[in-house]
Every structure is written in C-alpha cells, then in structure tokens.
C-alpha cells in the first residue's frame, strides 16, 4: 500500500447537496489537497426508492460550482452490489459470519423482550453457532457478522479522540439481507476498502457506525482507515440546523449571490481555525488545513458572518475574475437573466469599468445586480421614489446647468474631466457640490445611491450620460 492519502465524499443522492454535506466534502477535499492525495466521490445510491438521478446531478453540479472537484469517475455504490455480496459470502467461508434464518415474528419477539427489559433492541445470536445443515429447506437466510461479545471496540478518531463502544452493545448485525442486498453498513466498508480510502472524514452522526464498521474490517483482516468524525452544523441559536437557519442546498447559496470561495472560507471556519485568520483564499486553506485541528464542538451557522465575509472576498478579488464569476452566476440570480440577455461586449467593458465602484457597495452578487442595473436600464429611465425626491424643487434648474457644463467639455470623456466641469459649474453658480451631484446621480441611475457619480458618467459615456440627464430636464 502506498502512503498517499485517499479521502472520499460519499453523499446519498436523495436531495440536493446541502450545506453540511458541502462542508464534509470541503474537509475531504482540503485534506487531500493539503497532503497531495486524492479525493474520490462515491454516490451511495443503494436505497433505490429514495435515490434519484436528479439528486446525483444536483450534487455533482453543487460540487462543481464550489470547485470541489473529485479525482476519477464517481463510483456508484449500487453497481457494486455483486462485490458486496461476494465479501459477505467470503465472511461466511472465513467463519466470521453466518446465515441467520430467524423469521420476522422471531425478530419481533426479540425486540419486544429487549424493550420489556429496557434494553436496546438486539439480535440474540440464535443462529450464530448452529450447524448450517439445520437451515430450513428452501429458506434464504440473511448473513450476520459475528460481532465480539465482550470487551470494547475503540475508535481512534482524529477529531473526537478515543471513543469506546462496549461490545455487548454491538449485536450480530446483518451484512447481507435475505433478498441478497447488502446493508449500508457493509457496503460502505467494502467500498472504502476497495477504493483504497486511507482517511474517512464524515459527519459525527456516523460515529456509532464506525464501531460496527470496524468489526467488518477486522473480520476481513483489512486495515481500518484513519477516522475523523466532524461535528454537525447547528443554527445560530444552537438548535439543529433547519431551513430557517440555512439548511439549504448549495444552489440556494449560489442564488443568494455568494461566491464559491467565500462560502468555502465560511464553511472551513465552521469548526476549524488557523490562528486568528478569518479571511482565507482557497490556496491559504489548502496550505493550512489539517483534519486534526477541527474542533469537536458543534459549529454554529451565522448568515450575517457569511454575508460580511462574502463582501470582503468580493472586494479582494480582482475585477476581471469577479466579472467572470458574476457573468456565470447571472442565470441563477434574481434579475440576473435580464442582464445576461443584454450583455454584449460593450456592456461587459462598462461593467468591468464600473466594478471597482459597484463592489464597494455590494456584499453579494445579488446586490451587484441591483447596483449594476443602471448600466442596463433603457431610456427614459425608471426613477425610484428616493431619486424622484432628489429631482424635485430647484434640482431641475441645477441639472439644466450641469447638462450644459458637461456638454461643453471637450477632449476625453473621463471621470476627472466630468468632475472638473461639475465643480466649476457648482462654484460659479454658488451651489454645494452635493446639490449638483445628487440630482445628477438620480438622472443617470434612477436611484439615490450608486458608485461615485463621476465614475458613473465615465462608465456610461458622453452620449448616454447627456441623454439621460436631458430626459430629466425637458
Ligand atoms: N452516505 C452517507 C451520508 O450521506 C455518508 C456515509 C459515509 O460517509 O460513510 O450521510
């Protein structure tokens, strides 16, 4: 066996890639990238009733959007059922497992009697030591593993520490059902072994499964991978994560206008830290991440923090890169498709020029759509209520003068040239700069807030700027 780290993300395709799953994928991916290893993807589609192709597609799409790209082809757990069966039969041959023919009624009676004694339901091992020749004729038994009866099973977990499970609580659980289908517990172990997984990183809701899975590893004489069970994400109030708290599919975060990098930064920081560093690039996370540094306490999801962090990432990002992401995300953003439909090369150039001003005022791409709307607006512009108020009273007269002053400029139409003309006009007329700039902004954008008005003038260009102002004075 090589020393190379191999992790895996193993989602069940019963719904979207939810935010907790994304964080599990992220930790697997970061650990693999940090160590120069691989992250494989296994779709746990054994539950045929609940697994759908649409969910698988949504999971792949969510991972791709986040940039959490797996190595190799995704593995379908369902397609590996013959191998799971073969290993179960091998366990019987090795004397580590046996066929059990207990009827449903017998099993129910066992559960009843355990319940009456206040014990957890467990199988009593009645077929464990029976001679296979006693099998009822024609019956197809289930295969149960011989779990150790005393002592304890210890999971050496890199996040949870040493976790001890008394073996008396591990009954002889089923690895292969009487219909020939493997149980989930068994399929996971066989797949992890065959895929060469060296490190299992998953939610701590699987911690008790780890003890059972170790029984299978030992019975087969296989190495047990390193285990890390990461705490689940809770809501800001400490309660289990619900929709209201942010328990949504990652596509909902895309539609809310978060950048993949910011969302990953936020998710990484939920339960993991590197000194006082809050803002991290993906390269930083890869360089710094270690699974052993993940906390075992539950992490709390906080939308306000995510939003603030997203704003920081938007401002830090270079404009061309941000523009790329923005354009690719437009189809998913409210108001985005309308912009996408009108985005020609000239408008792209305008957008790029406006981006430094726009991103100062936006914490999400949705806010960026809103801020950029003026670039795409058709004349005469719709004027919102606050902007209309700025155009009342003597504002129109002031605007008329500003229009003339701008029109009189010669040479290149730049923010600096526009600013010089407007300042001179304000000074000459005894107006405060704001008394000119505010109605100007309202006329140019239809809004009361925007990037700096001189930048707006520069981005819109001479002809469009003058026409928009003229629309408000005639
Ligand atoms: N399919 C399981 C889940 O979605 C993960 C199992 C595992 O990681 O071992 O919770």
């Amino acid at each position: 066996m090589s020393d190379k780290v191999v992790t895996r993300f193993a989602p069940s395709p019963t719904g979207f890639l939810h935010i907790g799953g994304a964080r599990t994928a992220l930790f697997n991916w970061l650990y693999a990238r940090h160590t120069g290893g691989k992250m494989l993807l296994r779709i746990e589609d054994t539950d045929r009733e609940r697994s759908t192709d649409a969910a698988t597609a949504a999971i792949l799409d969510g991972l791709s959007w986040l940039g959490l790209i797996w190595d190799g082809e995704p593995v379908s757990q369902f397609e590996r059922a013959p191998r799971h069966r073969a290993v179960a039969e091998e366990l019987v041959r090795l004397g580590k497992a046996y066929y059990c023919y207990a009827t449903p009624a017998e099993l129910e009676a066992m559960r009843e009697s355990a319940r009456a004694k206040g014990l957890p339901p467990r199988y009593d091992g009645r077929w464990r030591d029976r001679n296979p020749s006693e099998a009822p004729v024609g019956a197809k038994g289930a295969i149960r593993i011989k779990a150790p009866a005393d002592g304890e099973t210890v999971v050496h977990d890199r996040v949870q520490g040493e976790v001890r499970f008394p073996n008396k609580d591990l009954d002889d659980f089923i690895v292969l059902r009487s219909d020939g289908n493997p149980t989930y517990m068994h399929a996971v172990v066989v797949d992890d072994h065959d895929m060469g997984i060296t490190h299992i990183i998953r939610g701590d809701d699987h911690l008790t499964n780890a003890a059972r899975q170790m029984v299978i590893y030992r019975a087969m004489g296989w190495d047990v991978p390193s285990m890390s069970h990461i705490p689940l994400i809770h809501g800001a109030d400490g309660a289990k994560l619900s929709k209201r708290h942010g328990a949504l599919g990652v596509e909902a975060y895309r539609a809310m206008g978060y950048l993949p990098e910011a969302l990953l930064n936020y998710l990484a920081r939920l339960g993991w830290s590197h000194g006082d560093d809050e803002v991290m690039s993906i390269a930083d996370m890869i360089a710094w991440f270690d699974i052993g540094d993940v906390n075992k306490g539950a992490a709390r999801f906080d939308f306000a923090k995510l939003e603030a962090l997203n704003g920081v990432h938007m401002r830090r990002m270079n404009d061309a890169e941000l523009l790329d992401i923005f354009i690719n995300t437009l189809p998913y953003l409210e108001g985005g498709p309308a912009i996408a439909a009108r985005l020609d090369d000239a408008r792209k150039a305008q957008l790029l020029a406006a981006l430094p001003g726009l991103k100062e005022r936006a914490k999400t791409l949705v806010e960026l759509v809103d801020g950029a709307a003026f670039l795409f607006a058709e004349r005469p512009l719709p004027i919102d209520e606050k902007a209309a108020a700025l155009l009342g009273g003597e504002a129109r007269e002031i605007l008329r003068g500003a229009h003339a002053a701008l029109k009189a400029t010669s040479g290149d139409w730049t923010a600096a040239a526009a600013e010089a003309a407007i300042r001179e006009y304000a000074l000459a007329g005894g107006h405060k700069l704001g008394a000119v700039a505010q109605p100007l902004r309202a006329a140019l954008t239809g809004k009361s807030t925007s990037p700096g008005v001189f930048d707006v003038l520069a981005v819109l260009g001479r002809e469009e700027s003058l026409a928009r102002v003229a629309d408000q004075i005639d």
Side-chain angles (χ1 to χ4, degrees):
M1 226 176 83
S2 81
D3 295 323
K4 220 173 158 75
V5 165
V6 184
T7 67
R8 67 0 178 231
F9 177 52
S12 305
T14 54
F16 291 118
L17 174 63
H18 61 89
I19 198 74
R23 190 181 58 139
T24 300
L26 172 64
F27 284 0
N28 277 285
W29 185 84
L30 284 177
Y31 191 65
R33 291 291 169 272
H34 176 77
T35 54
K38 287 185 174 169
M39 178 183 83
L40 308 184
L41 178 62
R42 180 171 71 237
I43 303 295
E44 302 210 314
D45 50 358
T46 25
D47 182 343
R48 300 315 284 167
E49 309 241 299
R50 295 177 61 224
S51 303
T52 67
D53 290 346
T56 299
I59 290 168
L60 301 189
D61 178 51
L63 290 172
S64 304
W65 171 63
L66 288 169
L68 301 178
I69 304 303
W70 55 96
D71 293 286
E73 287 298 311
V75 171
S76 155
Q77 187 161 66
F78 173 68
E79 285 174 13
R80 293 180 35 80
R83 166 70 179 155
H84 304 146
R85 257 192 298 282
V87 173
E89 285 156 8
E90 169 80 9
L91 283 166
V92 175
R93 268 194 302 281
L94 292 169
K96 306 284 186 177
Y98 57 92
Y99 282 92
C100 162
Y101 301 94
T103 63
E106 287 178 279
L107 294 169
E108 182 50 37
M110 278 177 231
R111 272 194 289 273
E112 255 322 304
S113 96
R115 207 170 311 153
K117 291 184 208 140
L119 296 169
R122 47 192 314 281
Y123 173 73
D124 65 6
R126 64 182 60 188
W127 281 92
R128 181 168 169 137
D129 298 312
R130 270 165 83 168
N131 194 305
S133 65
E134 293 174 48
V137 188
K140 279 205 161 51
I143 297 182
R144 288 182 182 270
I145 192 133
K146 290 184 183 167
D150 6 80
E152 51 185 16
T153 295
V154 184
V155 177
H156 298 274
D157 193 280
R158 288 188 64 191
V159 173
Q160 307 289 334
E162 229 171 58
V163 190
R164 298 169 174 275
F165 296 88
N167 287 338
K168 64 176 176 43
D169 295 343
L170 306 174
D171 59 357
D172 290 352
F173 57 92
I174 295 178
V175 291
L176 195 76
R177 297 193 183 87
S178 55
D179 63 6
N181 285 319
T183 55
Y184 166 71
M185 200 68 74
H186 179 62
V188 168
V189 172
V190 176
D191 291 347
D192 282 338
H193 172 76
D194 289 1
M195 291 164 74
I197 303 303
T198 60
H199 291 71
I200 293 177
I201 300 171
R202 61 186 172 193
D204 66 9
D205 49 335
H206 288 284
L207 186 57
T208 52
N209 290 344
R212 288 202 160 79
Q213 290 168 353
M214 279 175 68
V215 173
I216 305 177
Y217 279 104
R218 297 224 166 104
M220 285 304 293
W222 291 342
D223 288 336
V224 179
S226 154
M227 303 257 185
S228 302
H229 287 89
I230 59 177
L232 300 181
I233 305 177
H234 285 220
D237 54 8
K240 195 171 172 291
L241 203 65
S242 67
K243 283 231 161 85
R244 175 173 58 89
H245 291 120
L248 305 164
V250 294
E251 75 299 328
Y253 290 85
R254 173 165 61 191
M256 286 185 269
Y258 295 111
L259 301 178
E261 186 179 51
L263 187 55
L264 294 180
N265 183 171
Y266 183 69
L267 289 176
R269 287 284 291 102
L270 278 182
W272 171 71
S273 54
H274 178 265
D276 292 331
D277 293 297
E278 291 285 348
V279 183
M280 305 177 189
S281 68
I282 289 170
D284 292 335
M285 291 185 253
I286 291 174
W288 297 337
F289 185 78
D290 194 347
I291 191 67
D293 294 337
V294 173
N295 298 324
K296 66 184 199 192
R300 295 188 179 202
F301 193 88
D302 180 343
F303 263 115
K305 274 196 184 158
L306 170 59
E307 191 166 288
L309 196 55
N310 199 66
V312 175
H313 276 271
M314 280 174 63
R315 287 190 289 282
R316 265 179 37 147
M317 189 168 277
N318 105 17
D319 291 329
E321 200 183 334
L322 180 59
L323 182 64
D324 248 11
I325 295 183
F326 181 59
I327 291 174
N328 291 333
T329 315
L330 282 175
Y332 308 101
L333 303 173
E334 196 181 334
I339 290 189
R342 313 195 52 209
L343 202 62
D344 51 19
D345 283 348
R347 283 230 164 73
K348 265 186 213 167
Q350 281 184 319
L351 203 47
L352 186 61
L355 217 44
L358 289 172
K359 71 184 191 183
E360 286 307 317
R361 284 164 189 78
K363 289 199 292 295
T364 65
L365 298 179
V366 170
E367 291 180 9
L368 205 54
V369 166
D370 198 46
F374 77 89
L375 284 173
F376 298 87
E378 298 255 27
R379 294 182 38 230
L381 256 55
I383 305 286
D384 77 17
E385 213 173 304
K386 284 186 186 159
L390 295 174
L391 289 166
E394 62 164 354
R396 261 167 226 276
E397 269 324 301
I398 294 179
L399 207 51
R400 197 182 300 280
H403 182 264
L406 288 169
K407 200 170 174 183
T409 58
S410 53
D412 282 348
W413 180 265
T414 61
E419 178 164 2
I422 293 298
R423 279 189 186 279
E424 193 184 294
Y425 163 67
L427 197 64
H431 307 298
K432 286 206 180 106
L433 186 62
V436 186
Q438 298 236 48
L440 203 49
R441 161 177 292 123
L444 292 168
T445 68
K447 296 185 184 202
S448 56
T449 56
S450 75
V453 71
F454 305 119
D455 292 326
V456 169
L457 281 162
V459 167
L460 285 175
R462 181 185 184 97
E463 198 185 330
E464 179 71 17
S465 296
L466 290 175
R468 288 188 184 191
V469 177
D471 286 341
Q472 301 305 323
I473 56 183
D474 296 335

